[in-house]
């Protein structure tokens, strides 16, 4: 994971630079700011690496005491990940006498993408199938392995090492994202992967490396460092804002549908522009007609232990004993203990209705159930 972040055309940003080839050069000098989530992810990977190496019999020092974001949840997720890999390894052993597990393997992609490389979290090389497993600790967006260019590039890098050593027919790529319960696997024939590499990746990578080609907006823009100031993205979003909804006075169903299709992208772009402008203003930039002010703030105690003592001394109880939330409880007692003790008490009330695109994987909201509830409430 770490190595890929330093390549101009790294696998983790492949969806973006394959879709919008000039984006890599456009953004190469824009500063990269590491979020808390990224730092937590780095720790989670380090823990997985340690546990997997240990599980395959290597002598490695325990990294957990050094991890800033270490938690019981991180430990449980890493254990589950290791069990998953060991299961795949057992599966590989049924078809191959000497499969090999590799951990945090450097992958050279230079044959297809100039100066590119990455790191495979876990690989299992065996006759028949080459397995690629990518661990994602984040829980923001569920990542699909299907036709995922990051995974396909890792697979190409792994084939460079193992294609001559094993009789590989297909590659199986898995994204293991434990905090979302997402284990997404996509398999494809090795020859189809090589075809994609030669016909799609190679020419796009040449353009991306030179910084030429067409700018092209899409979902990948959200991970682009130019997302707030990119002219192509601004033009694309402003096209909707400047659309001339003339007569009749009320929008037609088709026009509402048109707005719905673009409104998420439009609002997230607007938020990103605002965040960028604030960030720059805090660094000293003066925007004409704007100034930075203090937002609303909420009162808080300057010293909580002193407050508790003072209230107790005055004869009152300063504490309100509350049950931990499901997430906090799971963190405290661990995932397996949580399932053992409390799973039977966990219910999931019906969520608030949300309008999403038809391609969304969630089943359609049952308006019948909601109507029934409303009717009953009205009768009572
Ligand atoms: S914001 Fe989108 S369109 Fe603009 S450079 Fe980045 S990826 Fe390309």
């Amino acid at each position: 994971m770490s190595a890929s972040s330093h390549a101009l055309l790294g696998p983790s940003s492949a969806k973006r630079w394959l879709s919008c080839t000039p984006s890599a050069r456009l953004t190469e000098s824009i500063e990269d700011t590491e979020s808390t989530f990224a730092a937590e992810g780095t720790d989670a990977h380090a823990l997985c690496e340690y546990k997997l190496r240990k599980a395959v019999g290597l002598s490695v020092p325990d990294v957990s005491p050094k991890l800033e974001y270490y938690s019981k949840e991180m430990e449980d997720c890493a254990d589950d990940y290791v069990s998953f890999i060991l299961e795949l390894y057992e599966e590989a052993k049924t078809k191959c006498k000497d499969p090999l597990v590799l951990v945090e393997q450097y992958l050279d992609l230079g044959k297809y993408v100039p100066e590119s490389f990455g790191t495979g979290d876990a690989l299992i090389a065996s006759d028949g199938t080459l397995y690629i497993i990518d661990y994602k600790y984040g829980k923001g967006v569920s990542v699909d392995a299907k036709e995922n260019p990051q995974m396909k590039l890792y697979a190409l890098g792994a084939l460079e090492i193992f294609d001559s050593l094993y009789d590989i027919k297909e590659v199986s790529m898995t994204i293991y994202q434990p905090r979302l319960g997402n284990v997404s696997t996509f398999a494809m024939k090795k020859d189809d992967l090589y075809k994609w590499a030669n016909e799609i990746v190679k020419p796009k990578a040449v353009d991306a490396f030179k910084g030429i080609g067409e700018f092209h907006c899409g979902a990948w823009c959200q991970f682009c460092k130019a997302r707030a100031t990119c002219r192509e993205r601004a033009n694309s979003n402003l096209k909707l804002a400047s659309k001339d909804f003339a007569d009749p006075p009320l929008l037609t169903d088709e026009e509402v549908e048109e707005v719905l299709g673009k409104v998420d992208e439009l609002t997230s772009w607007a938020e990103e522009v605002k965040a960028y402008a604030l960030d720059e203003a805090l660094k000293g930039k003066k925007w004409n007609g704007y100034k930075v002010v203090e937002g609303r703030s909420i009162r808080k105690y300057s010293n909580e232990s002193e407050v508790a003592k003072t209230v107790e001394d005055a004869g009152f109880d300063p504490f309100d004993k509350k049950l931990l939330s499901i997430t906090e409880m799971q963190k405290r007692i661990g995932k397996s203990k949580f399932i053992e003790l409390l799973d039977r008490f966990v219910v999931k009330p019906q969520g608030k209705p949300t309008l999403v695109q038809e391609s969304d994987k969630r089943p359609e909201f049952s308006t019948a159930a909601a109507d029934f509830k409303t009717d009953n409430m009205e009768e009572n």
Side-chain angles (χ1 to χ4, degrees):
M1 190 182 89
S2 53
S4 64
S5 59
H6 301 299
L8 175 74
L9 304 180
S12 60
S13 58
K15 179 74 187 161
R16 174 176 53 74
W17 58 256
L18 283 168
S19 309
C20 174
T21 52
S23 65
R25 287 289 176 203
L26 180 75
T27 56
E28 69 179 324
S29 56
I30 300 178
E31 201 190 333
D32 224 348
T33 46
E34 195 188 49
S35 67
T36 310
F37 298 120
E40 188 186 44
T42 305
D43 279 4
H45 272 79
L47 189 61
C48 285
E49 178 181 356
Y50 155 68
K51 282 181 175 276
L52 187 53
R53 284 194 196 279
K54 199 170 146 216
V56 295
L58 297 169
S59 160
V60 274
D62 184 359
V63 294
S64 42
K66 291 192 193 136
L67 302 178
E68 190 182 345
Y69 296 94
Y70 175 85
S71 68
K72 183 82 180 72
E73 183 185 23
M74 192 178 277
E75 174 94 22
D76 287 345
C77 289
D79 286 337
D80 291 349
Y81 165 75
V82 170
S83 305
F84 177 75
I85 308 242
L86 294 181
E87 268 172 37
L88 287 183
Y89 181 53
E90 288 306 317
E91 182 184 310
K93 279 205 280 191
T94 63
K95 298 175 213 151
C96 171
K97 62 179 180 357
D98 54 354
L100 195 59
V101 179
L102 286 109
V103 187
E104 291 290 309
Q105 175 64 42
Y106 175 84
L107 301 169
D108 188 349
L109 304 169
K111 185 170 170 187
Y112 305 100
V113 183
E115 297 178 15
S116 183
F117 51 84
T119 307
D121 291 337
L123 313 175
I124 302 171
S126 70
D127 290 329
T129 306
L130 171 66
Y131 300 87
I132 323 290
I133 303 99
D134 191 51
Y135 184 72
K136 296 204 186 291
Y137 193 60
K139 52 180 184 178
V141 184
S142 172
V143 186
D144 197 346
K146 191 172 179 201
E147 297 291 354
N148 184 311
Q150 178 182 12
M151 299 303 291
K152 283 161 61 172
L153 286 173
Y154 286 153
L156 284 168
L159 280 174
E160 279 306 287
I161 308 172
F162 296 112
D163 203 12
S164 56
L165 303 174
Y166 289 88
D167 181 19
I168 296 167
K169 298 269 190 296
E170 64 158 24
V171 291
S172 168
M173 298 161 278
T174 297
I175 288 173
Y176 194 87
Q177 199 174 10
R179 290 160 98 199
L180 287 181
N182 175 36
V183 181
S184 173
T185 299
F186 176 65
M188 69 189 292
K189 291 204 170 68
K190 177 185 79 178
D191 294 342
D192 291 338
L193 186 64
Y194 280 137
K195 190 168 168 356
W196 174 77
N198 289 312
E199 293 179 8
I200 309 283
V201 177
K202 265 188 174 179
K204 293 267 186 197
V206 168
D207 282 1
F209 196 69
K210 288 183 186 159
I212 59 173
E214 302 250 317
F215 285 98
H216 184 39
C217 291
W220 49 87
C221 292
Q222 63 180 301
F223 304 111
C224 179
K225 286 187 280 177
R227 63 187 177 276
T229 49
C230 168
R231 186 170 302 281
E232 176 69 18
R233 193 166 179 230
N235 283 339
S236 157
N237 280 298
L238 290 171
K239 241 185 243 163
L240 172 69
S242 63
K243 189 170 161 52
D244 188 10
F245 291 111
D247 288 326
L250 295 178
L251 294 182
T252 63
D253 287 356
E254 289 72 27
E255 284 170 330
V256 171
E257 282 160 9
E258 193 182 343
V259 174
L260 284 175
K262 292 171 182 161
V263 78
D264 286 346
E265 167 62 12
L266 185 64
T267 47
S268 69
W269 170 71
E271 285 302 325
E272 281 154 13
V273 173
K274 274 175 77 177
Y276 165 79
L278 174 62
D279 213 38
E280 290 298 301
L282 291 173
K283 288 181 200 157
K285 163 106 188 155
K286 186 83 189 101
W287 300 103
N288 282 332
Y290 290 86
K291 64 179 178 185
V292 179
V293 295
E294 266 192 36
R296 222 171 70 88
S297 88
I298 298 168
R299 293 183 307 161
K300 60 178 210 170
Y301 296 123
S302 59
N303 185 330
E304 291 194 359
S305 48
E306 276 301 311
V307 170
K309 187 176 175 310
T310 307
V311 175
E312 270 166 359
D313 289 349
F316 298 99
D317 181 1
F319 295 106
D320 185 14
K321 200 170 179 186
K322 269 173 54 182
L323 198 61
L324 294 177
S325 70
I326 290 180
T327 312
E328 288 302 318
M329 190 73 81
Q330 196 165 307
K331 263 189 202 164
R332 183 161 303 177
I333 69 177
K335 197 174 166 189
S336 43
K337 202 70 186 163
F338 183 93
I339 292 171
E340 182 195 327
L341 296 177
L342 303 175
D343 213 28
R344 66 205 157 107
F345 297 119
V346 176
V347 289
K348 205 163 184 294
Q350 190 161 32
K352 206 172 133 195
T354 311
L355 193 61
V356 297
Q357 293 195 345
E358 217 147 9
S359 55
D360 193 286
K361 283 183 191 152
R362 287 168 286 183
E364 189 150 8
F365 181 77
S366 164
T367 47
D371 290 349
F372 177 74
K373 233 185 225 173
T374 319
D375 290 349
N376 274 357
M377 278 167 61
E378 281 168 1
E379 279 164 18
N380 289 336

